[in-house]
Amino acid sequence: DAMVIQNPRYQVTQFGKPVTLSCSQTLNHNVMYWYQQKSSQAPKLLFHYYDKDFNNEADTPDNFQSRRPNTSFCFLDIRSPGLGDAAMYLCATSTGLAGGVDEQFFGPGTRLTVL
Amino acid sequence: AQSVSQHNHHVILSEAASLELGCNYSYGGTVNLFWYVQYPGQHLQLLLKYFSGDPLVKGIKGFEAEFIKSKFSFNLRKPSVQWSDTAEYFCAVMSPRGTYKYIFGTGTRLKVLA
């Protein structure tokens, strides 16, 4: 089945130690997104890629970076995690078809713990 | 700042009861509107969506939503809930349309008692 895969599902890191979260997709979608979701809060869009074009949300901290080396993979790098970065990180994709309604397809998420 | 409000954070219903979950958004331009559902232990998945045309949209599993532009609302409804509808429901807006900038509400946790 075509899907969005996130690895690892659970990640524990230490305060200040860089961490990378991975997302891959078999849907061949143009757009890939990263969201941060803290407990009892709305998923918050961090950034998205339309193909190779990177789009950062204005309020995304500089501590968060992303890479998309090819269509299938997208990475979230947290350069110096703080305790406040502990959250569920969701990856999603959409077709990116112009003028259409872009349904997002979500992965299962990676739960990040910062010690 | 643009926002999406879901007024009911927790809802408990008995099976066969009717459901209505509220969603209001703040953006005045053209928007795409979505309801997503997250069943326990599963990932977010689309229930239904609206972008133009008939303001009453039907989704999967008997859900429907009505877009009322004058009220900036997109409420989710189901005439008769089932135990299997126990889940968390998120309203989302793509604003402005075509920008791929999604704003989600904080979600409503629905528990249906058998």
Side-chain angles (χ1 to χ4, degrees):
Chain A
D1 288 339
M3 57 175 56
V4 180
I5 302 163
Q6 291 188 245
N7 286 305
R9 295 290 307 275
Y10 300 90
Q11 176 73 58
V12 180
T13 191
Q14 292 180 332
F15 183 94
K17 185 175 181 181
V19 65
T20 295
L21 309 182
S22 170
C23 178
S24 64
Q25 54 131 339
T26 61
L27 297 160
N28 203 32
H29 283 173
N30 290 316
V31 192
M32 294 187 77
Y33 310 79
W34 279 104
Y35 287 86
Q36 179 192 63
Q37 185 180 21
K38 297 184 178 181
S39 181
S40 301
Q41 296 186 22
K44 181 181 178 301
L45 183 62
L46 295 173
F47 24 62
H48 75 273
Y49 275 93
Y50 191 110
D51 196 9
K52 295 181 180 179
D53 292 334
F54 178 69
N55 296 270
N56 198 30
E57 294 301 300
D59 56 356
T60 298
D62 293 339
N63 198 26
F64 291 85
Q65 304 287 320
S66 186
R67 297 170 284 134
R68 189 179 185 186
N70 54 52
T71 300
S72 301
F73 284 87
C74 194
F75 300 98
L76 171 61
D77 300 308
I78 308 176
R79 294 192 296 188
S80 182
L83 298 179
D85 297 327
M88 178 73 84
Y89 290 88
L90 301 172
C91 176
T93 73
S94 68
T95 61
L97 295 174
V101 180
D102 274 278
E103 169 190 354
Q104 293 180 93
F105 293 81
F106 283 85
T110 294
R111 183 166 296 282
L112 178 67
T113 300
V114 182
L115 301 178
Chain B
Q2 298 164 26
S3 64
V4 176
S5 299
Q6 291 183 243
H7 312 295
N8 315 101
H9 298 295
H10 293 89
V11 173
I12 301 175
L13 294 173
S14 299
E15 274 195 316
S18 64
L19 170 72
E20 181 160 2
L21 301 181
C23 174
N24 288 90
Y25 61 94
S26 62
Y27 185 67
T30 53
V31 294
N32 292 341
L33 299 161
F34 307 82
W35 275 97
Y36 284 86
V37 62
Q38 188 167 25
Y39 297 104
Q42 297 187 26
H43 51 81
L44 280 161
Q45 55 189 287
L46 183 72
L47 260 185
L48 47 77
K49 58 190 178 185
Y50 171 83
F51 62 103
S52 67
D54 189 343
L56 183 64
V57 293
K58 295 190 183 298
I60 60 172
K61 303 186 180 186
F63 285 90
E64 63 180 31
E66 184 175 13
F67 169 53
I68 303 179
K69 188 175 182 180
S70 60
K71 295 185 177 180
F72 299 93
S73 70
F74 189 56
N75 292 353
L76 181 70
R77 300 194 293 246
K78 186 171 184 179
S80 177
V81 295
Q82 301 173 314
W83 178 80
S84 58
D85 294 325
T86 295
E88 189 159 18
Y89 294 81
F90 291 90
C91 181
V93 174
M94 181 200 283
S95 169
R97 179 184 291 173
T99 61
Y100 306 103
K101 292 182 179 290
Y102 289 85
I103 304 167
F104 277 75
T106 52
T108 298
R109 287 185 185 269
L110 171 66
K111 183 170 185 177
V112 180
L113 304 175

